Amino acid sequence: MFAYSMREKTHAHRNYADDVPEEVKQRRLTELIEIFRESTGQCYDSQIGSIQLVLVEGPNKRAPETELMGKSDRGHRVSFVTVPVPNRTAEDAADQQQQRNPVVGDYVEVRILRSSRASLYGEALAITKLSLFYSNTVENEAVACAV
């Protein structure tokens, strides 16, 4: 979110004056961000205990050696500790029991343990595929939090 600023080559730039004082713009932006964070926090809190499908995007910048970060199929940012987990994508049943660390591009089942205003934090359960995840879950609805 950003405070309003006039953009050249737009209808507003050609036809209107930017007559809102900077302190009013900043106050409005602050109010908007606070309301957004409150509603996001409530939404994220409701996800605690759920198992979510997460596409691994890379290491968590705050703990790159120990945590991975990705996006859930609901569009939420999810962080989890890098640990070896079962690989359900393997063809052979014996290979599925062997564990490996998730890597960028893997889909991982993650149980959500806690939340913040901007992220979810969980534990990795298994490397999976879209089709496996949705065929094995009872809750097939992907509900994104409305803001």
Side-chain angles (χ1 to χ4, degrees), residues 51-89:
I51 296 175
Q52 305 228 353
L53 180 65
V54 176
L55 175 61
V56 178
E57 295 179 333
N60 184 345
K61 291 178 184 170
R62 294 188 176 155
E65 301 299 319
T66 59
E67 292 184 7
L68 289 171
M69 180 72 77
K71 289 271 178 66
S72 74
D73 58 342
R74 299 173 182 191
H76 304 152
R77 186 173 18 188
V78 180
S79 178
F80 58 93
V81 175
T82 307
V83 294
V85 293
N87 180 9
R88 296 190 180 141
T89 64

Side-chain angles (χ1 to χ4, degrees), residues 72-136:
S72 74
D73 58 342
R74 299 173 182 191
H76 304 152
R77 186 173 18 188
V78 180
S79 178
F80 58 93
V81 175
T82 307
V83 294
V85 293
N87 180 9
R88 296 190 180 141
T89 64
E91 300 293 324
D92 186 309
D95 290 340
Q96 289 182 10
Q97 297 308 313
Q98 291 190 358
Q99 298 188 347
R100 70 170 176 88
N101 286 341
V103 296
V104 173
D106 281 340
Y107 283 104
V108 180
E109 293 178 20
V110 178
R111 177 178 290 118
I112 304 304
L113 302 175
R114 63 185 180 88
S115 72
S116 71
R117 296 286 183 225
S119 297
L120 297 169
Y121 302 89
E123 65 176 336
L125 303 175
I127 298 165
T128 189
K129 296 190 247 185
L130 285 169
S131 58
L132 287 173
F133 180 78
Y134 286 109
S135 67
N136 292 332

